[in-house]
Amino acid sequence: MRRIFFLFAATFLAGLSPLHAETLPLPDGVVAFDSPAGEALFLGAEARQDYFQLSMHFVTQDNPAFCGPASMAMVLNAIGAPRPASKMTLGLGLFDQTNVFTPATEAVKPSADILKAGMTLDEFGGMLKAHDLTVEVRHAGETSLDDFRKVAAQTLEDGDRFIVVNYLRKAIGQEAGGHISPLGAYDEDTDRFLILDVTRYKYPPVWVGAAALYDAMNTPDSDNGGKTRGYVVVGR
């Protein structure tokens, strides 16, 4: 079993290497997943169960405004939500950045509007709820670093729920605005979370300190009545 685990992780890491060579430079304090240090963090991480299902369904967002839909597709597939019909695959289709949109999600926010301006944390949570999932939306300004660390670590370890963060890139030294991506693992020894960044053409998945990530979430969310960004915990 241990050998299978290492092979699985190594396969995903190898698949990222060519992309990393073309991405933007990483700021100090942020560790690329496909680096020796990033690999060591993953292999020693205490909470990493969510990573396996998410990595099997990893996608890159189709355009600069679609980090939310890309993250939704990953989570819906990883969690085993009822799949969309597909004549091409014997009715066993997977979610993508087109069929995540349904009449119920359009009532939360039309896909045409997301294409122009992305989505807020509350809108992201509302669209997941529209897929009949159990969703907890937590604004960073209404919680604390300790609460976030505890909830995130427990979620990543149980394998049944998933956590997606909405944070301000420039707060961790990246370029530039708000972003949404799932978390894949937590390393307690270094207090770092693995962000499975869906903008693989821009940045690879990275390890970020818990405090830095919380501060990046504790920033004003665009067009959200003064509320902060934060995170979403989603389950069946």
Side-chain angles (χ1 to χ4, degrees):
M1 183 67 181
R2 184 176 177 82
R3 183 171 181 271
I4 293 174
F5 163 75
F6 281 120
L7 287 172
F8 189 95
T11 299
F12 181 67
L13 289 165
L16 291 175
S17 296
L19 291 164
H20 184 207
E22 301 173 1
T23 55
L24 296 176
L26 291 178
D28 292 339
V30 174
V31 180
F33 184 32
D34 60 333
S35 67
E39 293 178 26
L41 285 169
F42 178 74
L43 296 177
E46 290 77 12
R48 60 190 178 197
Q49 291 304 310
D50 284 0
Y51 164 83
F52 296 101
Q53 286 297 327
L54 289 169
S55 64
M56 287 175 64
H57 301 290
F58 201 105
V59 298
T60 299
Q61 66 187 74
D62 287 339
N63 64 67
F66 263 32
C67 54
S71 297
M72 282 180 57
M74 286 178 64
V75 169
L76 288 169
N77 288 323
I79 210 167
R83 294 179 176 183
S86 172
K87 294 180 180 178
M88 298 294 291
T89 55
L90 303 177
L92 299 176
L94 293 173
F95 285 98
D96 56 37
Q97 294 169 68
T98 299
N99 62 21
V100 293
F101 297 111
T102 68
T105 66
E106 290 290 305
V108 176
K109 186 170 187 177
S111 54
D113 291 344
I114 295 172
L115 183 60
K116 296 176 183 177
M119 65 178 76
T120 65
L121 180 69
D122 286 324
E123 290 166 346
F124 180 72
M127 295 187 73
L128 286 170
K129 288 179 182 178
H131 282 277
D132 295 323
L133 298 175
T134 300
V135 180
E136 298 177 52
V137 176
R138 303 192 180 191
H139 295 273
E142 299 171 358
T143 181
S144 67
L145 170 59
D146 289 340
D147 288 339
F148 164 62
R149 182 189 291 113
K150 179 179 179 180
V151 170
Q154 290 176 344
T155 302
L156 290 164
E157 190 173 15
D158 67 26
D160 296 322
R161 299 173 299 156
F162 297 86
I163 181 166
V164 183
V165 292
N166 177 16
Y167 61 101
L168 184 64
R169 277 197 187 277
K170 68 179 181 181
I172 61 171
Q174 294 182 334
E175 298 181 3
H179 190 54
I180 295 173
S181 281
L183 295 183
Y186 173 65
D187 179 63
E188 184 177 357
D189 294 337
T190 60
D191 198 24
R192 288 179 179 272
F193 286 99
L194 174 63
I195 302 175
L196 295 178
D197 195 330
V198 296
T199 322
R200 288 196 294 177
Y201 55 83
K202 190 172 184 179
Y203 290 108
V206 293
W207 291 94
V208 178
L213 179 55
Y214 174 78
D215 288 343
M217 293 188 295
N218 197 19
T219 53
D221 200 358
S222 304
D223 301 321
N224 202 18
K227 293 181 179 180
T228 63
R229 296 178 172 86
Y231 56 99
V232 168
V233 177
V234 55
R236 292 298 297 270

